[in-house]
Amino acid sequence: MRALPLRAALWSAALMCPILFASTAAFAQSDRGPAQSAKPVITLAPSVTPVVRKDGEASFENPPANFHAFASVHVGDVAIAEPLTLRFSASTQLTGIQLTKDFVMDAGSTCQVGNRYAEGDSCTLLVRFTPQGAGRRLGKLTISHAASPQPLNLGLGGYGYAPVISFTPALITTVPGTYPSNVGLLAGAHNMTVDGGDVVYIADTGNDQIRQIDSSGTIISNTAYPAAYSIAVDSFGYIWALPAPGSFFYFAFYVPGTGEIDFAGSYSPGTCTASSPCILNIVGLGDAGSISIDSYNNLFMEEETYGAAEIPVAGIANGGSGYADPNVWYLRDSYAPGTGTPTAFTADAYDNLYTFYNNGTADCDIVVESLSSAETYPPVYNRVAGADSCGFSGDGGQARDAEIGSSVGEIAFDIAGNLYFSDTNNQRVRRIDNSTGQINTIAGNGTAGYTGDGAEATLAELSSPTGLAVDSQGQVYIISSATTGQVVRKLGPNGVLDMGSVVKKTSGTAQLVTVANTGNDAMVLTRAYIGGTDAGDFKIDPNTTSCILTEGATLAAGQSCKVGIIFTPAAAGARSASLIFLDNTVTNMNTVELAGTGTLPLPTFTITAPTSGATETSGTAFTFSVSVTASGTQPTGTVTMLLNGTAISGSPATLNSSGVASLSVTSTTTGTNTLSATYSGDSNYSADGPITRTVKVNAPALKKESKVTVASSANPATACSAIAFSVTVTGTGSEKPTGTVKLMKEKELLSEGTLSDGKAKLPSLKLAAGTSELTANYSGDSTHEAAKSAPFKQVVSSTGCESGADSTRPVSLPGVSMAR
């Protein structure tokens, strides 16, 4: 880490009021700096005791006028109230005192609303620093008084320690206001940052704007010219910006609503080192971009001279009456190209420089070098992520062995030192854990698009993500393309775990959520439990859980663990609950939203008739039958049964007590016919189907002509004698007809019989005297047509019969049935 005294020696004594806490001084929008302003009625007396900072904490050394820096505080600790002394240069009456969320006023303050103060008076406010997040915190004290319509804004700052719980997968949403009327608010935006008050700043290059999203979600737009390409915010709230690289050098810091201070000119590099810096306006910058700022308010950026540059920005403003030209020196970073198109580049809390490198053929790497190395030659690099080839691989393993894409939009760090980068061509955002070096995707599924809001970020679609920033609550902001334009999408603060669909009263596979402490203090657990509407459906799986979830368990800053959840739905339909951590974070509670869908079991559903491969005859009815069974309770309900997509008469059919439904089917469509069945389901079993079976339907075969002849044992015959009749049926082929024949006298059936070898011998019978005209009717069979014989005239004489014999009625022989 760069030693503080070297930086302090290069700073001038004062800064103008910061952006968030600007005084009433008017700023001119030119490179001549701010104009003179009238002497303020109220000023803040300088702090008597300087604050001693630890390594890694934000520096508030040499603050601007009307700025007070507080001692560091751990969230949950009761800080000592610090006195802020107000001095009055004219008579006035206090009409309002207001503090922002990180600061509270204690009893005992002598400054009171309604009090009148004379010229030369002073009063004291007792203010405690109560950080609402980890890391650098910014706020303001607003003093309204009768002598001016404009209130006095006093800048407040401090460094907070707090655990921050981040989840993977996290809930992803679009930041409200960045997609108005279904059009992305941003255009050509590459870079964003977050200040110490969790205000997001975006360099909206394509729209010539600097966008500001405060912690309430309100969007403020500040016109900037030329358009800012990269952006950073210092410890006092100043916005530092660079335009898109070009031949003309331009550098500025902004005071929203009042103007900017510009540094512009041609690029004329000199020999500029940390020990012998140059004046920025003399040497300029060449193709500068990807600006970042460290905790000591030193700007780092890509620059074409040796690859990078450093500028200490404290002391640029001089008491509100002008500006001091900043110093600059070059750093050696051979991986930062001077091609006019910036690559991703940043500095961490310890001034190590990180650069994305792609040689245009194979290597896609993020490399790191120390600041001391960058100030010497040759620089020494280490690979942080990437490989000798570009692509996508390695999640869950060491980042230095993983493949990354050929374009990285921005690199950022959270307070715990975890590295985040937008893997642009892979349509993902990935994180490298500081403690383990492991890389994982935290947003994006690899498909370019704009979907997934309200669900797991790792399942969402991103489109060419560029800018990236992490706030003090561990929320990750991403610039990503929408259908039109660009939007800002946000991960967290809640986690989300979709358990999918699981059969009622059965247990699914454990799903994992990663719990990471992305803050700067240990998380102490009070309780972890599952609550909510369907809490009983979800349980923590001890076999896949590595987090210690007992009361008093801790998770150190920068550490992570996993919790496994098993879903066992008690009922069908959507089920939900929450995995809740009660802890010592700022909110005292962190939540993972759990969701799943319970489904009913499927029964055994089969077609039992016709059999597979069956053949039916057109116009001939056949049976379509299904069976719905289960090992438990017998399924009930109905089955919709279709023939070639049309409901069969009687469909839907109700299952009988054995789970069977049958319908008679007649098809006149020859060829392949499709039978389908769909089970309706009931309270115990899920609907099922359709299941199908094909059946071949043939046209009826063409039958052969049949010839029927009748013969009798005697013709003429006597009325008192039995006559034996026979019928012969012949066809056109060698196959003998089968079936039955009937001997008829007009409409009266006399006798019938079954063909055997084409012949049928009918029972003998007696006929009345006279001539009877008889016919034989053949029923036909599968290959022979039905037929009728020609009339057969049987003559019966009454002569020759014994006296008394009935010669007028047919008489059957013993054992032979007769029919009329």
Side-chain angles (χ1 to χ4, degrees), residues 609-617 622 671 673 693-698:
T611 59
S612 179
T615 300
E616 304 294 343
T617 300
F622 62 93
N673 284 234
R693 177 158 292 173
T694 58
V695 60
K696 185 176 182 182
V697 175
N698 294 328

Side-chain angles (χ1 to χ4, degrees), residues 25-369:
F27 289 82
Q29 199 168 25
S30 72
D31 62 356
R32 299 304 303 163
Q36 293 280 7
S37 62
K39 183 178 180 180
V41 174
I42 305 174
T43 57
L44 177 66
S47 178
V48 176
T49 305
V51 177
V52 178
R53 301 290 174 188
K54 300 176 183 177
D55 284 353
E57 293 184 359
S59 171
F60 295 98
E61 297 293 332
N62 298 312
N66 290 338
F67 190 96
H68 181 85
F70 287 79
S72 301
V73 175
H74 288 257
V75 171
D77 291 350
V78 179
I80 297 174
E82 299 186 25
L84 278 66
T85 300
L86 303 182
R87 294 174 175 173
F88 296 87
S89 63
S91 176
T92 190
Q93 182 181 23
L94 296 185
T95 58
I97 301 174
Q98 187 176 3
L99 288 155
T100 50
K101 64 181 181 179
D102 288 82
F103 305 89
V104 296
M105 189 163 58
D106 268 11
S109 298
T110 61
C111 300
Q112 298 292 327
V113 173
N115 286 359
R116 179 169 289 280
Y117 298 90
E119 180 181 356
D121 284 351
S122 64
C123 65
T124 301
L125 292 169
L126 296 178
V127 178
R128 283 188 298 111
F129 176 39
T130 57
Q132 300 302 297
R136 182 181 66 190
R137 307 302 297 167
L138 288 173
K140 65 179 178 179
L141 168 63
T142 301
I143 306 291
S144 302
H145 61 99
S148 172
Q150 297 296 326
L152 171 68
N153 290 319
L154 305 178
L156 307 176
Y159 194 83
Y161 285 89
V164 177
I165 297 301
S166 302
F167 298 106
T168 304
L171 182 71
I172 186 170
T173 56
T174 296
V175 174
T178 66
Y179 196 46
S181 302
N182 296 326
V183 176
L185 180 68
L186 312 177
H190 296 271
N191 191 259
M192 65 195 309
T193 191
V194 177
D195 75 359
D198 291 326
V199 177
V200 179
Y201 291 90
I202 305 165
D204 188 1
T205 310
N207 289 318
D208 290 348
Q209 299 278 317
I210 292 178
R211 309 282 187 182
Q212 175 181 330
I213 307 174
D214 67 20
S215 56
S216 70
T218 302
I219 299 176
I220 301 171
S221 299
N222 301 299
T223 302
Y225 182 83
Y229 183 90
S230 55
I231 191 168
V233 181
D234 68 17
S235 297
F236 305 112
Y238 289 115
I239 304 173
W240 302 90
L242 283 170
S247 59
F248 185 77
F249 155 65
Y250 179 90
F251 180 81
F253 73 93
Y254 293 88
V255 183
T258 56
E260 65 193 38
I261 295 180
D262 310 339
F263 304 90
S266 59
Y267 171 53
S268 180
T271 303
C272 310
T273 64
S275 58
S276 180
C278 301
I279 301 298
L280 175 63
N281 270 4
I282 295 176
V283 297
L285 297 171
D287 283 337
S290 298
I291 193 171
S292 66
I293 196 163
D294 71 2
S295 58
Y296 294 105
N297 294 321
N298 298 296
L299 289 174
F300 295 90
M301 64 205 72
E302 296 175 317
E303 199 275 343
E304 69 174 289
T305 308
Y306 295 119
E310 180 179 357
I311 301 174
V313 295
I316 289 179
N318 185 13
S321 61
Y323 67 88
D325 289 332
N327 289 316
V328 62
W329 53 89
Y330 303 127
L331 303 174
R332 296 180 181 271
D333 183 357
S334 57
Y335 283 101
T339 61
T341 302
T343 189
F345 171 90
T346 195
D348 67 10
Y350 299 98
D351 288 350
N352 299 301
L353 307 182
Y354 293 77
T355 309
F356 171 70
Y357 173 71
N358 175 16
N359 67 3
T361 56
D363 289 352
C364 289
D365 307 293
I366 295 175
V367 297
V368 60
E369 62 173 323

Side-chain angles (χ1 to χ4, degrees), residues 504 599-604 628-636 679-688:
K504 171 185 171 183
T599 61
L600 294 173
L602 287 171
T604 301
V628 185
T629 58
S631 59
T633 304
Q634 175 60 48
T636 60
Y679 172 51
S680 65
D682 62 13
S683 59
N684 296 308
Y685 298 97
S686 175
D688 199 5

Side-chain angles (χ1 to χ4, degrees), residues 202-583:
I202 305 165
D204 188 1
T205 310
N207 289 318
D208 290 348
Q209 299 278 317
I210 292 178
R211 309 282 187 182
Q212 175 181 330
I213 307 174
D214 67 20
S215 56
S216 70
T218 302
I219 299 176
I220 301 171
S221 299
N222 301 299
T223 302
Y225 182 83
Y229 183 90
S230 55
I231 191 168
V233 181
D234 68 17
S235 297
F236 305 112
Y238 289 115
I239 304 173
W240 302 90
L242 283 170
S247 59
F248 185 77
F249 155 65
Y250 179 90
F251 180 81
F253 73 93
Y254 293 88
V255 183
T258 56
E260 65 193 38
I261 295 180
D262 310 339
F263 304 90
S266 59
Y267 171 53
S268 180
T271 303
C272 310
T273 64
S275 58
S276 180
C278 301
I279 301 298
L280 175 63
N281 270 4
I282 295 176
V283 297
L285 297 171
D287 283 337
S290 298
I291 193 171
S292 66
I293 196 163
D294 71 2
S295 58
Y296 294 105
N297 294 321
N298 298 296
L299 289 174
F300 295 90
M301 64 205 72
E302 296 175 317
E303 199 275 343
E304 69 174 289
T305 308
Y306 295 119
E310 180 179 357
I311 301 174
V313 295
I316 289 179
N318 185 13
S321 61
Y323 67 88
D325 289 332
N327 289 316
V328 62
W329 53 89
Y330 303 127
L331 303 174
R332 296 180 181 271
D333 183 357
S334 57
Y335 283 101
T339 61
T341 302
T343 189
F345 171 90
T346 195
D348 67 10
Y350 299 98
D351 288 350
N352 299 301
L353 307 182
Y354 293 77
T355 309
F356 171 70
Y357 173 71
N358 175 16
N359 67 3
T361 56
D363 289 352
C364 289
D365 307 293
I366 295 175
V367 297
V368 60
E369 62 173 323
S370 67
L371 181 58
S372 59
S373 174
E375 292 176 340
T376 60
Y377 188 83
V380 177
Y381 298 92
N382 289 307
R383 177 185 287 172
V384 175
D388 293 334
S389 58
C390 304
F392 175 76
S393 69
D395 271 5
Q398 290 296 300
R400 59 179 174 269
D401 298 323
E403 289 183 344
I404 64 177
S406 57
S407 177
V408 168
E410 188 169 5
I411 304 170
F413 289 91
D414 62 25
I415 296 166
N418 301 308
L419 183 150
Y420 300 73
F421 67 96
S422 45
D423 198 345
T424 305
N425 285 2
N426 283 322
Q427 317 300 340
R428 290 175 168 91
V429 171
R430 302 169 82 178
R431 182 176 73 199
I432 302 172
D433 287 350
N434 183 35
S435 61
T436 64
Q438 189 180 90
I439 186 171
N440 285 288
T441 294
I442 62 168
N445 63 7
T447 299
Y450 179 41
T451 65
D453 274 1
E456 297 180 14
T458 49
L459 301 179
E461 292 179 352
L462 300 178
S463 181
S464 300
T466 55
L468 185 67
V470 188
D471 71 8
S472 71
Q473 303 304 314
Q475 298 177 119
V476 181
Y477 296 85
I478 305 162
I479 298 173
S480 181
S481 296
T483 306
T484 304
Q486 294 171 302
V487 298
V488 178
R489 304 183 78 179
K490 183 181 75 171
L491 275 58
N494 290 344
V496 60
L497 206 56
D498 188 344
M499 308 301 295
S501 297
V502 177
V503 174
K504 171 185 171 183
K505 296 183 180 179
T506 63
S507 297
T509 303
Q511 303 288 333
L512 299 178
V513 59
T514 299
V515 183
N517 184 351
T518 57
N520 56 7
D521 205 0
M523 185 272 281
V524 180
L525 186 66
T526 303
R527 182 187 175 200
Y529 67 99
I530 294 176
T533 305
D534 305 307
D537 289 14
F538 303 84
K539 71 174 183 179
I540 297 171
D541 176 31
N543 297 319
T544 55
T545 297
S546 60
C547 296
I548 299 174
L549 301 178
T550 55
E551 181 180 354
T554 61
L555 184 65
Q559 299 296 312
S560 64
C561 58
K562 296 183 184 296
V563 176
I565 302 293
I566 294 178
F567 177 42
T568 308
R575 313 293 287 174
S576 64
S578 297
L579 172 62
I580 300 171
F581 295 84
L582 301 180
D583 48 44

Side-chain angles (χ1 to χ4, degrees), residues 593-613:
E593 299 173 6
L594 306 175
T597 301
T599 61
L600 294 173
L602 287 171
T604 301
F605 185 27
T606 58
I607 295 175
T608 56
T611 59
S612 179

